[in-house]
């Protein structure tokens, strides 16, 4: 991670850590490093207007044009970059983070996130003060802002076409949906309805201060309640920018990214479209995913945590599906980044095609007990050099042996140290995670 860029763009509390000045310089960088036309979209956060104005001012100040997509999911911007033949894209969103946060992330002209080397160049550009006087045009050479009138329609129809081209319909299905007061409010319900489903939606409006608050993919409680009230066949929840999805089966089983990847991969192999019979996941993936894939003759490649690393390995190896337990799923046959709507559609399509109910699909992977503790700390960078923290992790790892795994890492976007423990029983995993978290809290909080 760099000075400004974390695992998923520049992110922080809006107007405090992520300032308009920084947003302006990032906008200038987009015009200079990406090109003459930049698609800009945002989620529903109150600070989105402020930061979008600053980003747009930066882009236009160096003579580039803003294609304004307004409020759209992050994957819509990646798609629009390609559909509109733009030179790049920017999304103003803090994804699953609380409302006071915001972020700025970049896409290249193919809708892919920027490599570390380019982000490093952008950081150096910002530290040098942004654009030079020679890079600032005047008169009729300054940039302009052009609204993209049909931005959401392009994205919705892309997802619909992907399912219909497979000869699948969602007729007869009832789908419960939680938009999390985010960018999917106007896209996912419409796409699912066009595919034939009856959609019952909650949290599909927004105030700008309610995004991700006790709802959406980060809090499945409201969706569980809706499922119980409606008897829906599937439940779907997005995070704020809808680049991820979590699902719920009709019996209340939570379907995370590992299960989604399992179901989609098995279906893709049966259809002969799983490139090299391989999937990509991260070191956080559940042991159940690895066992389910081995049973089906599918290889699993594991990367560092972060969808950018999953995508990097997919592109290197020529693989077409990769994902994270958190619900990020990249289906390169359909989009260049995590796409919550496309993932949900392909998961449900796999169920329909194979005659699986949501409960039967969830049972294709046995989830091994896994515990995640998020420890809030004063300085997340202090973890690696703290002897007590390193010692407790080493001791617990040695004691656990081959019966599970321990992964401790700092959050890329928040002042947190994440402690993940997988073991043969939930009690054992919880005990280990608690011992490690207690030490980290005592040393770093």
């Amino acid at each position: 991670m760099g000075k400004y860029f974390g695992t998923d763009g520049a992110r922080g509390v809006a107007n405090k850590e992520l300032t308009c000045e920084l947003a302006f310089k990032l906008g200038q960088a987009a015009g200079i490093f990406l090109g003459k036309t930049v698609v800009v979209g945002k989620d529903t956060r109150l600070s989105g207007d402020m930061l979008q104005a600053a980003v747009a001012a930066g882009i236009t100040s160096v003579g580039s044009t803003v294609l304004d997509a307004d409020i759209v999911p992050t994957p819509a911007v990646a798609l629009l970059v390609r559909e509109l033949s733009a030179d790049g894209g920017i999304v103003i969103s803090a994804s699953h983070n609380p409302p006071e946060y915001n972020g700025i992330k970049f896409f290249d002209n193919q809708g892919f996130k920027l490599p570390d080397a380019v982000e490093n160049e952008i950081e150096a550009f910002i530290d040098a003060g942004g654009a030079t006087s020679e890079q600032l045009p005047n008169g009729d050479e300054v940039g302009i802002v052009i609204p993209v009138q049909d931005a959401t329609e392009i994205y919705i129809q892309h997802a619909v076409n992907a399912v219909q081209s497979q000869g699948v319909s969602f007729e007869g299905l009832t789908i419960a949906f939680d938009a999390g007061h985010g960018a999917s409010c106007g896209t996912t319900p419409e796409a699912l309805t066009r595919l034939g489903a009856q959609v019952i939606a909650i949290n599909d409006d927004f105030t700008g201060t309610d995004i991700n608050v006790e709802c959406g993919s980060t809090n499945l409680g409201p969706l569980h309640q809706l499922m119980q009230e409606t008897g829906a066949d599937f439940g779907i929840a997005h995070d704020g920018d809808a680049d991820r999805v979590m699902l719920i089966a009709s019996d209340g089983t939570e379907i995370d990214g590992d299960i989604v990847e399992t179901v989609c991969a098995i279906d893709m192999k049966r259809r002969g479209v799983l490139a090299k019979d391989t999937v990509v996941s991260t070191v956080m993936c559940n042991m159940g995913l690895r066992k389910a894939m081995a049973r089906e003759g599918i290889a699993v490649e594991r990367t560092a945590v972060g969808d950018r690393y999953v995508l990097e390995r997919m592109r290197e190896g020529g693989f077409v599906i990769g994902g994270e337990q958190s619900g990020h799923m990249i289906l390169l046959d359909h989009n260049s980044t995590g796409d919550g709507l496309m993932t949900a559609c392909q998961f449900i399509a796999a169920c329909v095609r194979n005659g699986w109910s949501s409960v039967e699909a969830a049972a294709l992977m046995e989830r091994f007990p896994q515990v995640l503790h998020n420890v809030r700390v004063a300085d997340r960078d202090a973890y690696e050099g703290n002897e007590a923290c390193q010692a407790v992790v080493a001791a617990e790892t040695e004691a656990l042996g081959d019966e599970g795994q321990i992964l401790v890492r700092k959050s890329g976007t928040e002042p947190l140290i994440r402690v993940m423990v997988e073991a043969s029983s939930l009690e054992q995993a919880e005990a280990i995670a608690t011992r490690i978290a207690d030490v980290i809290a005592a040393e770093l909080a």
Side-chain angles (χ1 to χ4, degrees), residues 221-288:
L223 184 58
H224 272 292
Q225 182 175 344
L226 183 61
M227 293 283 290
Q228 292 170 357
E229 293 172 352
T230 62
D233 300 292
F234 294 87
I236 296 173
H238 292 315
D239 60 337
D241 68 337
D243 64 349
R244 69 173 71 184
V245 64
M246 297 288 277
L247 295 101
I248 299 177
S250 59
D251 67 348
T253 300
E254 294 184 6
I255 300 173
D256 63 13
D258 287 343
I259 298 176
V260 170
E261 188 162 12
T262 296
V263 171
C264 289
I266 292 172
D267 173 66
M268 291 168 71
K269 185 178 181 187
R270 292 183 178 182
R271 290 189 287 131
V273 296
L274 182 61
K276 302 183 181 180
D277 287 343
T278 298
V279 302
V280 181
S281 189
T282 76
V283 292
M284 288 279 285
C285 76
N286 193 276
M287 194 180 302

Side-chain angles (χ1 to χ4, degrees), residues 301-372:
E301 299 247 348
R302 301 172 74 192
T303 74
V305 175
D307 64 312
R308 64 185 302 151
Y309 303 113
V310 172
L311 176 60
E312 184 179 276
R313 183 68 196 109
M314 291 173 68
R315 297 179 73 185
E316 288 173 353
F319 310 127
V320 293
I321 179 171
E324 297 185 280
Q325 192 177 81
S326 60
H328 276 114
M329 195 65 51
I330 303 171
L331 301 165
L332 279 184
D333 287 339
H334 302 291
N335 208 342
S336 55
T337 192
D339 189 336
L341 170 58
M342 183 63 74
T343 300
C345 285
Q346 292 302 311
F347 177 86
I348 295 171
C351 293
V352 172
R353 187 165 30 242
N354 291 279
W356 298 324
S357 68
S358 56
V359 176
E360 291 168 333
L364 291 172
M365 190 200 94
E366 178 188 0
R367 185 190 283 113
F368 281 68
Q370 206 174 59
V371 171
L372 177 64

Side-chain angles (χ1 to χ4, degrees), residues 12-16 45 47 94 97-102 208-209 211 213:
V13 175
N15 222 24
K16 181 179 179 182
R45 291 163 208 274
S47 60
N97 289 156
E100 65 270 23
Y101 283 77
N102 217 321
T209 60
I211 187 170
V213 177

Side-chain angles (χ1 to χ4, degrees), residues 80-392:
L80 288 166
V81 167
R82 299 190 302 277
E83 292 290 322
L84 302 177
S85 298
D87 295 309
I90 280 182
V91 180
I92 299 167
S93 170
S95 190
H96 62 284
N97 289 156
E100 65 270 23
Y101 283 77
N102 217 321
I104 298 173
K105 47 189 168 185
F106 288 62
F107 290 110
D108 67 15
N109 62 0
Q110 296 300 309
F112 292 115
K113 292 179 181 178
L114 303 186
D116 291 343
V118 177
E119 288 189 347
N120 291 339
E121 290 185 55
I122 291 175
E123 292 196 342
F125 168 86
I126 293 170
D127 283 339
T132 64
S133 58
E134 291 78 12
Q135 293 171 314
L136 297 175
N138 53 58
D140 61 2
E141 294 182 349
V142 299
I144 59 174
V145 177
I146 302 174
V148 182
Q149 302 290 352
D150 53 353
T152 55
E153 175 61 25
I154 291 172
Y155 177 65
I156 290 167
Q157 199 56 46
H158 174 70
V160 171
N161 289 344
V163 175
Q164 291 179 337
S165 66
Q166 297 170 6
V168 174
S169 168
F170 293 172
E171 286 287 345
L173 294 178
T174 300
I175 299 176
F177 173 63
D178 185 350
H181 301 298
S184 65
C185 290
T187 51
T188 292
E190 177 63 22
L192 296 172
T193 299
R194 290 188 195 181
L195 287 166
Q198 178 188 359
V199 181
I200 305 168
I202 56 173
N203 301 320
D204 55 342
D205 57 358
F206 56 90
T207 64
T209 60
D210 52 5
I211 187 170
N212 297 322
V213 177
E214 298 182 355
C215 61
S217 65
T218 54
N219 186 332
L220 294 176
L223 184 58
H224 272 292
Q225 182 175 344
L226 183 61
M227 293 283 290
Q228 292 170 357
E229 293 172 352
T230 62
D233 300 292
F234 294 87
I236 296 173
H238 292 315
D239 60 337
D241 68 337
D243 64 349
R244 69 173 71 184
V245 64
M246 297 288 277
L247 295 101
I248 299 177
S250 59
D251 67 348
T253 300
E254 294 184 6
I255 300 173
D256 63 13
D258 287 343
I259 298 176
V260 170
E261 188 162 12
T262 296
V263 171
C264 289
I266 292 172
D267 173 66
M268 291 168 71
K269 185 178 181 187
R270 292 183 178 182
R271 290 189 287 131
V273 296
L274 182 61
K276 302 183 181 180
D277 287 343
T278 298
V279 302
V280 181
S281 189
T282 76
V283 292
M284 288 279 285
C285 76
N286 193 276
M287 194 180 302
L289 169 66
R290 305 194 293 277
K291 287 184 176 293
M293 294 296 92
R295 183 185 68 232
E296 298 289 333
I298 299 172
V300 179
E301 299 247 348
R302 301 172 74 192
T303 74
V305 175
D307 64 312
R308 64 185 302 151
Y309 303 113
V310 172
L311 176 60
E312 184 179 276
R313 183 68 196 109
M314 291 173 68
R315 297 179 73 185
E316 288 173 353
F319 310 127
V320 293
I321 179 171
E324 297 185 280
Q325 192 177 81
S326 60
H328 276 114
M329 195 65 51
I330 303 171
L331 301 165
L332 279 184
D333 287 339
H334 302 291
N335 208 342
S336 55
T337 192
D339 189 336
L341 170 58
M342 183 63 74
T343 300
C345 285
Q346 292 302 311
F347 177 86
I348 295 171
C351 293
V352 172
R353 187 165 30 242
N354 291 279
W356 298 324
S357 68
S358 56
V359 176
E360 291 168 333
L364 291 172
M365 190 200 94
E366 178 188 0
R367 185 190 283 113
F368 281 68
Q370 206 174 59
V371 171
L372 177 64
H373 284 198
N374 292 317
V375 186
R376 188 162 293 274
V377 296
D379 179 7
R380 64 189 177 194
D381 293 321
Y383 165 73
E384 293 174 358
N386 186 282
E387 292 184 4
C389 293
Q390 299 303 316
V392 69

